[in-house]
């Protein structure tokens, strides 16, 4: 076990991919000489060369389009979209080409492309730098969508994503980049598309992913001081969602609260709430509740603490659930 920040874990995971997959390459804005704006790719160009760690023009559509062409020729590109809000110029390439070509070709063309996207708020950034666009891609058939919440998952999930033959949108919670945690560099605990139960309980189930997993875990710890026993589940994969652990947990607790930074309207939490209600209807003691960002454009940095889900909002939702 080694203690790393999430940035370091991602860097080490990418390094391992590049070592074991000679056809893999990393491409994006400032990923080479600079090492990425968050330093996730720091040192990789020095060790693997500029033909494998490629500084691209400021053209997200071009980055993804080029990656698709490289994948069709046998390469395994790992693209970086520098910030979440910059992904939209590449949207057509992602949803109309990357997601569709394997099906369009009857499975004869595989596109092993990983698209890394730092996402979410909490870093005091300006407009277009704190978005949570995961629902767009989770809704798109043909794309896998995952997100890590701790350094160990970051280390292994990036390797697992790069090892598969499917396009993967890999969301990285940027406000957790400097969070430290233990990383087991020898053994992977879970498959890429499996949820993890972080804490077992019987009072209610908290379901979160990415940057809000830590919020949910802290809420559960605070609730324990008041005698409440909350179960916490980290989804990890948003498409496909690993439903069985969610259903089993809610059938046990009878209550569920879903937490994410993205706006609540037609978000991942809405799908989770709908499916849990359908599958666990006779076990529910209250409606499935959601704690999310508000349905407004992401606010200026001085207001983001009021926008983001926090411990108090999660505990308030738990209290409301227990009132039924």
């Amino acid at each position: 076990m080694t203690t790393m920040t999430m940035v370091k874990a991602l860097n080490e995971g990418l390094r391992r991919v590049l070592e074991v997959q000679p056809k893999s390459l990393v491409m994006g804005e400032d990923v080479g000489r600079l090492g990425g704006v968050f330093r996730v790719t720091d040192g990789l160009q020095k060790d693997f060369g500029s033909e494998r760690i490629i500084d691209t023009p400021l053209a997200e559509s071009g980055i993804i389009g080029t990656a698709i062409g490289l994948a069709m020729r046998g390469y395994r590109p790992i693209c970086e979209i520098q910030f979440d809000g910059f992904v939209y110029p590449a949207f057509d390439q992602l949803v109309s080409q990357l997601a569709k070509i394997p099906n369009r070709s009857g499975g004869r063309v595989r596109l092993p492309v990983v698209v890394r996207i730092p996402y979410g708020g909490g870093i005091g950034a300006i407009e277009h730098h704190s978005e949570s666009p995961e629902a767009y891609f989770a809704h798109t058939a043909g794309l896998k969508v995952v997100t890590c919440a701790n350094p160990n998952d970051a280390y292994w999930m990036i390797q697992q994503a790069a090892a598969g033959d499917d396009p993967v949108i890999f969301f990285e919670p940027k406000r957790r980049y400097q969070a430290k945690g233990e990383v087991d560099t020898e053994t992977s605990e879970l498959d890429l598309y499996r949820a993890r139960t972080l804490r077992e309980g019987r009072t209610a189930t908290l379901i979160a992913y990415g940057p809000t997993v830590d919020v949910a875990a802290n809420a559960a710890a605070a609730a324990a001081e008041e005698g409440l026993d909350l179960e916490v589940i980290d989804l990890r994969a948003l498409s496909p969602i690993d439903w069985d652990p969610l259903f089993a947990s809610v059938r046990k607790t009878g209550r569920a609260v879903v937490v994410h930074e993205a706006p609540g309207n037609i978000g991942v939490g809405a799908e989770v709430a709908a499916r849990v209600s359908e599958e666990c209807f006779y076990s529910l003691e209250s409606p499935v509740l959601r704690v999310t960002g508000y349905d407004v454009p992401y606010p200026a940095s001085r207001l983001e603490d009021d926008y983001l889900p926090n411990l108090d909002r999660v505990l308030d939702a738990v209290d409301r659930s227990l009132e039924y």
Side-chain angles (χ1 to χ4, degrees):
M1 303 290 283
T2 304
T3 300
M4 300 183 192
T5 63
M6 183 179 287
V7 163
K8 180 63 173 176
L10 287 164
N11 181 278
E12 291 296 321
L14 288 168
R15 183 176 296 277
R16 194 157 176 177
V17 170
L18 291 160
E19 289 171 346
V20 302
Q21 296 181 12
K23 287 288 190 177
S24 65
L25 51 88
V26 173
M27 54 193 295
E29 299 161 7
D30 297 320
V31 300
R33 291 180 62 186
L34 181 65
V37 293
F38 294 105
R39 302 301 186 267
V40 171
T41 55
D42 189 37
L44 297 183
Q45 190 178 76
K46 175 178 176 292
D47 294 337
F48 295 97
S50 59
E51 292 186 353
R52 296 187 69 193
I53 313 298
I54 303 166
D55 280 319
T56 68
L58 306 184
E60 286 76 15
S61 181
I63 293 170
I64 303 304
T66 302
I68 292 170
L70 285 165
M72 294 175 75
R73 294 296 182 266
Y75 291 91
R76 307 181 71 86
I78 303 170
C79 304
E80 177 181 300
I81 301 297
Q82 195 171 75
F83 280 91
D84 35 49
F86 300 173
V87 73
Y88 302 113
F91 195 78
D92 181 51
Q93 292 284 2
L94 289 165
V95 304
S96 299
Q97 307 303 332
L98 185 63
K100 302 294 193 299
I101 287 175
N103 181 70
R104 188 185 305 151
S105 66
R108 289 187 295 275
V109 177
R110 310 299 297 179
L111 296 179
V113 178
V114 177
V115 182
R116 296 179 39 247
I117 305 177
Y119 81 120
I123 64 167
I126 60 175
E127 189 178 29
H128 308 307
H129 291 66
S130 300
E131 307 293 318
S132 296
E134 61 269 21
Y136 292 116
F137 302 108
H139 182 73
T140 302
L143 298 176
K144 308 287 190 182
V145 182
V146 300
T147 178
C148 52
N150 59 71
N152 193 67
D153 273 353
Y155 177 78
W156 285 108
M157 289 173 72
I158 192 62
Q159 295 179 63
Q160 292 167 330
D165 288 332
D166 295 315
V168 178
I169 310 298
F170 193 95
F171 282 104
E172 302 166 6
K174 66 174 85 76
R175 68 166 154 149
R176 302 293 299 160
Y177 267 158
Q178 298 305 318
K180 292 183 178 181
E182 289 191 337
V183 176
D184 183 349
T185 59
E186 298 297 325
T187 306
S188 173
E189 181 184 352
L190 286 176
D191 177 79
L192 180 60
Y193 304 112
R194 292 287 176 263
R196 172 185 281 112
T197 300
L198 297 179
R199 181 185 183 119
E200 295 191 358
R202 304 198 67 87
T203 303
T205 301
L206 301 183
I207 301 167
Y209 59 84
T212 57
V213 171
D214 190 59
V215 176
N218 290 338
E225 298 178 3
E226 300 177 3
L228 301 179
D229 188 19
L230 304 182
E231 187 146 302
V232 180
I233 296 178
D234 176 5
L235 287 179
R236 299 175 77 247
L238 308 183
S239 182
I241 291 176
D242 184 14
W243 293 109
D244 288 345
L246 275 63
F247 297 156
S249 177
V250 175
R251 288 179 181 129
K252 175 178 65 174
T253 66
R255 294 175 169 83
V257 175
V258 191
V259 188
H260 61 65
E261 280 191 20
N265 186 44
I266 317 180
V268 172
E271 177 65 17
V272 171
R275 287 293 301 275
V276 168
S277 297
E278 290 172 2
E279 298 293 332
C280 305
F281 182 78
Y282 291 106
S283 300
L284 286 170
E285 300 291 340
S286 72
V288 180
L289 301 179
R290 291 174 289 161
V291 179
T292 70
Y294 298 105
D295 296 325
V296 298
Y298 196 88
S301 59
R302 66 181 179 274
L303 298 175
E304 68 178 350
D305 287 344
D306 296 317
Y307 174 90
L308 295 169
N310 57 30
L311 183 147
D312 289 337
R313 287 178 61 194
V314 173
L315 292 180
D316 178 68
V318 171
D319 288 342
R320 285 187 285 118
S321 178
L322 293 170
E323 289 174 356
Y324 283 89

